[in-house]
Amino acid sequence: MPGKDYYVEQRLAETLIELLDTKPLDEISVRELCDAAGVGRASFYRHFQCKEDILERHARSPIEKWAEAFESSPDSRPWNVFESLFHFIKEHQAFYETLHKTGRDGVLRAAIRTRMGLTDDLANEDAYQKAFFSDGISGWIEEWIDRGMQETPDELNRQLGRYFTQVLPVLGKLYTSASSNPVD
Protein backbone atom coordinates (compact mmCIF):
# COMPACT_ATOMS: atom_id res chain seq x y z
CA MET A 1 0.00 0.00 0.00
CA PRO A 2 1.46 3.36 -1.01
CA GLY A 3 2.43 5.66 1.85
CA LYS A 4 1.94 9.33 2.57
CA ASP A 5 4.85 10.39 0.33
CA TYR A 6 3.25 8.65 -2.63
CA TYR A 7 -0.12 10.29 -1.87
CA VAL A 8 1.44 13.78 -1.67
CA GLU A 9 3.34 13.37 -4.94
CA GLN A 10 0.33 11.91 -6.78
CA ARG A 11 -2.03 14.55 -5.43
CA LEU A 12 0.29 17.37 -6.49
CA ALA A 13 0.78 15.86 -9.95
CA GLU A 14 -2.94 15.33 -10.53
CA THR A 15 -3.80 18.82 -9.31
CA LEU A 16 -1.08 20.46 -11.40
CA ILE A 17 -2.36 18.70 -14.52
CA GLU A 18 -5.90 19.90 -13.74
CA LEU A 19 -4.71 23.49 -13.23
CA LEU A 20 -2.75 23.40 -16.48
CA ASP A 21 -6.03 22.96 -18.33
CA THR A 22 -7.00 26.48 -17.32
CA LYS A 23 -3.74 28.43 -17.21
CA PRO A 24 -0.04 28.25 -18.14
CA LEU A 25 2.50 26.77 -15.74
CA ASP A 26 4.17 30.12 -15.03
CA GLU A 27 0.83 31.56 -13.84
CA ILE A 28 0.28 28.80 -11.27
CA SER A 29 1.84 29.60 -7.91
CA VAL A 30 3.09 26.96 -5.50
CA ARG A 31 0.58 28.28 -2.96
CA GLU A 32 -2.31 27.91 -5.42
CA LEU A 33 -1.17 24.39 -6.32
CA CYS A 34 -0.85 23.32 -2.69
CA ASP A 35 -4.20 24.83 -1.71
CA ALA A 36 -5.97 23.10 -4.60
CA ALA A 37 -4.24 19.79 -3.80
CA GLY A 38 -4.91 20.03 -0.07
CA VAL A 39 -1.19 19.68 0.61
CA GLY A 40 0.99 21.92 2.74
CA ARG A 41 3.76 23.99 1.16
CA ALA A 42 6.30 22.26 3.43
CA SER A 43 5.22 18.92 1.93
CA PHE A 44 5.60 20.35 -1.55
CA TYR A 45 9.18 21.48 -0.86
CA ARG A 46 10.03 18.22 0.90
CA HIS A 47 9.31 16.41 -2.39
CA PHE A 48 10.02 18.95 -5.12
CA GLN A 49 12.18 22.00 -5.75
CA CYS A 50 9.79 23.53 -8.27
CA LYS A 51 6.58 22.83 -10.22
CA GLU A 52 8.54 21.59 -13.22
CA ASP A 53 9.98 18.78 -11.07
CA ILE A 54 6.46 17.42 -10.61
CA LEU A 55 5.89 17.05 -14.34
CA GLU A 56 9.29 15.53 -14.98
CA ARG A 57 9.10 12.99 -12.17
CA HIS A 58 5.50 12.14 -13.00
CA ALA A 59 6.47 11.58 -16.65
CA ARG A 60 9.30 9.13 -15.99
CA SER A 61 7.39 6.84 -13.67
CA PRO A 62 4.49 5.87 -15.99
CA ILE A 63 6.79 4.99 -18.91
CA GLU A 64 8.88 2.81 -16.59
CA LYS A 65 5.75 1.06 -15.30
CA TRP A 66 4.49 0.54 -18.87
CA ALA A 67 7.83 -0.94 -19.93
CA GLU A 68 7.99 -3.26 -16.93
CA ALA A 69 4.43 -4.46 -17.56
CA PHE A 70 5.12 -4.95 -21.27
CA GLU A 71 8.35 -6.82 -20.65
CA SER A 72 6.83 -9.09 -18.00
CA SER A 73 3.70 -9.99 -20.00
CA PRO A 74 3.84 -13.43 -21.64
CA ASP A 75 1.77 -11.98 -24.52
CA SER A 76 4.32 -9.27 -25.36
CA ARG A 77 6.23 -9.62 -28.59
CA PRO A 78 8.85 -7.31 -30.13
CA TRP A 79 6.54 -6.50 -33.04
CA ASN A 80 3.81 -5.10 -30.78
CA VAL A 81 5.94 -2.86 -28.57
CA PHE A 82 5.01 0.34 -30.41
CA GLU A 83 1.31 -0.52 -30.51
CA SER A 84 1.44 -1.10 -26.76
CA LEU A 85 3.25 2.20 -26.23
CA PHE A 86 0.69 4.09 -28.36
CA HIS A 87 -2.14 2.56 -26.31
CA PHE A 88 -0.38 3.61 -23.12
CA ILE A 89 0.06 7.20 -24.35
CA LYS A 90 -3.61 7.32 -25.40
CA GLU A 91 -4.71 6.05 -21.95
CA HIS A 92 -2.73 8.90 -20.39
CA GLN A 93 -3.60 11.42 -23.09
CA ALA A 94 -4.36 14.35 -20.76
CA PHE A 95 -0.98 14.07 -19.08
CA TYR A 96 1.03 13.75 -22.29
CA GLU A 97 -0.89 16.63 -23.87
CA THR A 98 0.05 18.68 -20.80
CA LEU A 99 3.72 17.73 -21.17
CA HIS A 100 3.56 18.70 -24.83
CA LYS A 101 1.71 21.95 -24.16
CA THR A 102 4.31 22.96 -21.56
CA GLY A 103 7.25 22.13 -23.85
CA ARG A 104 8.39 19.12 -21.85
CA ASP A 105 8.33 16.51 -24.62
CA GLY A 106 12.00 15.92 -23.85
CA VAL A 107 10.96 14.07 -20.70
CA LEU A 108 9.13 11.48 -22.79
CA ARG A 109 12.05 11.29 -25.23
CA ALA A 110 14.50 10.73 -22.36
CA ALA A 111 12.30 8.00 -20.86
CA ILE A 112 12.09 6.21 -24.22
CA ARG A 113 15.86 6.54 -24.71
CA THR A 114 16.42 5.00 -21.29
CA ARG A 115 14.01 2.12 -21.99
CA MET A 116 15.75 1.44 -25.31
CA GLY A 117 19.05 1.14 -23.47
CA LEU A 118 20.73 4.22 -24.90
CA THR A 119 23.70 4.73 -22.60
CA ASP A 120 27.05 6.49 -22.80
CA ASP A 121 28.98 3.21 -22.74
CA LEU A 122 27.49 1.84 -25.99
CA ALA A 123 29.58 1.58 -29.10
CA ASN A 124 28.90 4.54 -31.38
CA GLU A 125 27.02 2.58 -34.04
CA ASP A 126 24.72 0.98 -31.43
CA ALA A 127 24.11 4.36 -29.80
CA TYR A 128 23.24 5.99 -33.13
CA GLN A 129 20.76 3.23 -33.97
CA LYS A 130 19.07 3.46 -30.56
CA ALA A 131 18.94 7.26 -30.80
CA PHE A 132 17.40 7.03 -34.29
CA PHE A 133 14.60 4.75 -33.12
CA SER A 134 13.93 6.29 -29.72
CA ASP A 135 13.90 9.87 -31.02
CA GLY A 136 11.92 8.82 -34.08
CA ILE A 137 9.23 7.18 -31.96
CA SER A 138 9.09 10.06 -29.49
CA GLY A 139 8.86 12.47 -32.45
CA TRP A 140 6.08 10.36 -33.94
CA ILE A 141 4.21 10.57 -30.60
CA GLU A 142 4.83 14.33 -30.26
CA GLU A 143 3.40 14.92 -33.72
CA TRP A 144 0.41 12.67 -32.94
CA ILE A 145 -0.27 14.73 -29.81
CA ASP A 146 0.25 18.01 -31.70
CA ARG A 147 -2.31 16.94 -34.31
CA GLY A 148 -4.93 16.11 -31.67
CA MET A 149 -4.37 12.32 -31.47
CA GLN A 150 -6.94 11.80 -34.22
CA GLU A 151 -5.84 8.26 -35.06
CA THR A 152 -6.44 5.36 -32.72
CA PRO A 153 -3.31 3.66 -31.36
CA ASP A 154 -3.97 0.76 -33.75
CA GLU A 155 -4.22 3.11 -36.75
CA LEU A 156 -1.04 4.88 -35.70
CA ASN A 157 0.75 1.56 -35.35
CA ARG A 158 -0.38 0.51 -38.85
CA GLN A 159 0.97 3.82 -40.23
CA LEU A 160 4.29 3.17 -38.51
CA GLY A 161 4.35 -0.35 -39.95
CA ARG A 162 3.76 1.03 -43.45
CA TYR A 163 6.56 3.51 -42.90
CA PHE A 164 8.97 0.78 -41.84
CA THR A 165 8.06 -1.53 -44.73
CA GLN A 166 7.59 1.02 -47.53
CA VAL A 167 9.54 4.20 -46.88
CA LEU A 168 12.69 3.02 -45.12
CA PRO A 169 13.67 0.49 -47.82
CA VAL A 170 13.28 3.17 -50.51
CA LEU A 171 15.42 5.57 -48.48
CA GLY A 172 17.98 2.82 -48.02
CA LYS A 173 18.18 2.27 -51.77
CA LEU A 174 18.51 6.00 -52.43
CA TYR A 175 21.24 6.30 -49.82
CA THR A 176 23.27 3.36 -51.07
CA SER A 177 22.83 4.52 -54.67
CA ALA A 178 23.98 8.04 -53.82
CA SER A 179 26.95 6.88 -51.76
CA SER A 180 28.13 4.48 -54.47
CA ASN A 181 28.14 7.30 -57.07
CA PRO A 182 30.14 10.07 -55.42
CA VAL A 183 30.10 13.47 -57.06
CA ASP A 184 33.48 14.67 -58.39
Side-chain angles (χ1 to χ4, degrees):
M1 177 174 209
K4 185 177 180 182
D5 286 344
Y6 176 81
Y7 171 80
V8 168
E9 290 181 13
Q10 285 301 113
R11 190 68 197 121
L12 286 167
E14 291 165 3
T15 303
L16 182 57
I17 291 166
E18 290 170 11
L19 291 171
L20 285 167
D21 281 338
T22 60
K23 59 171 80 172
L25 184 64
D26 60 348
E27 291 181 17
I28 300 169
S29 70
V30 171
R31 178 180 306 281
E32 176 184 10
L33 172 60
C34 290
D35 288 348
V39 172
R41 286 172 44 108
S43 292
F44 172 89
Y45 287 110
R46 188 171 31 256
H47 295 274
F48 304 103
Q49 291 183 358
C50 60
K51 298 171 293 189
E52 292 81 359
D53 287 351
I54 296 171
L55 291 175
E56 292 183 17
R57 189 175 312 162
H58 193 69
R60 284 190 303 267
S61 178
I63 287 289
E64 289 300 317
K65 288 177 184 169
W66 162 79
E68 289 168 10
F70 180 82
E71 292 167 359
S72 67
S73 171
D75 298 329
S76 296
R77 301 289 182 265
W79 54 85
N80 63 7
V81 67
F82 297 123
E83 180 180 4
S84 174
L85 178 59
F86 298 151
H87 276 281
F88 171 81
I89 298 294
K90 185 68 173 176
E91 288 169 22
H92 299 88
Q93 181 173 348
F95 176 69
Y96 286 102
E97 285 175 335
T98 298
L99 272 185
H100 184 69
K101 182 170 61 175
T102 60
R104 292 192 166 59
D105 293 307
V107 175
L108 174 62
R109 179 176 286 119
I112 292 173
R113 282 175 157 235
T114 298
R115 287 314 306 169
M116 290 200 67
L118 182 57
T119 59
D120 292 340
D121 61 342
L122 286 174
N124 286 356
E125 186 173 351
D126 292 338
Y128 301 149
Q129 289 172 6
K130 288 180 185 279
F132 176 81
F133 279 103
S134 59
D135 292 2
I137 290 303
S138 62
W140 196 276
I141 291 168
E142 289 169 29
E143 195 62 32
W144 183 38
I145 293 168
D146 201 42
R147 293 172 180 264
M149 298 178 84
Q150 298 170 33
E151 298 85 358
T152 67
D154 295 331
E155 290 169 337
L156 193 66
N157 192 58
R158 281 192 294 278
Q159 288 178 11
L160 181 62
R162 281 193 301 275
Y163 181 74
F164 283 150
T165 59
Q166 295 171 1
V167 176
L168 289 179
V170 171
L171 290 175
K173 288 178 186 174
L174 289 173
Y175 180 77
T176 55
S177 174
S179 63
S180 64
N181 297 319
V183 177
D184 293 321

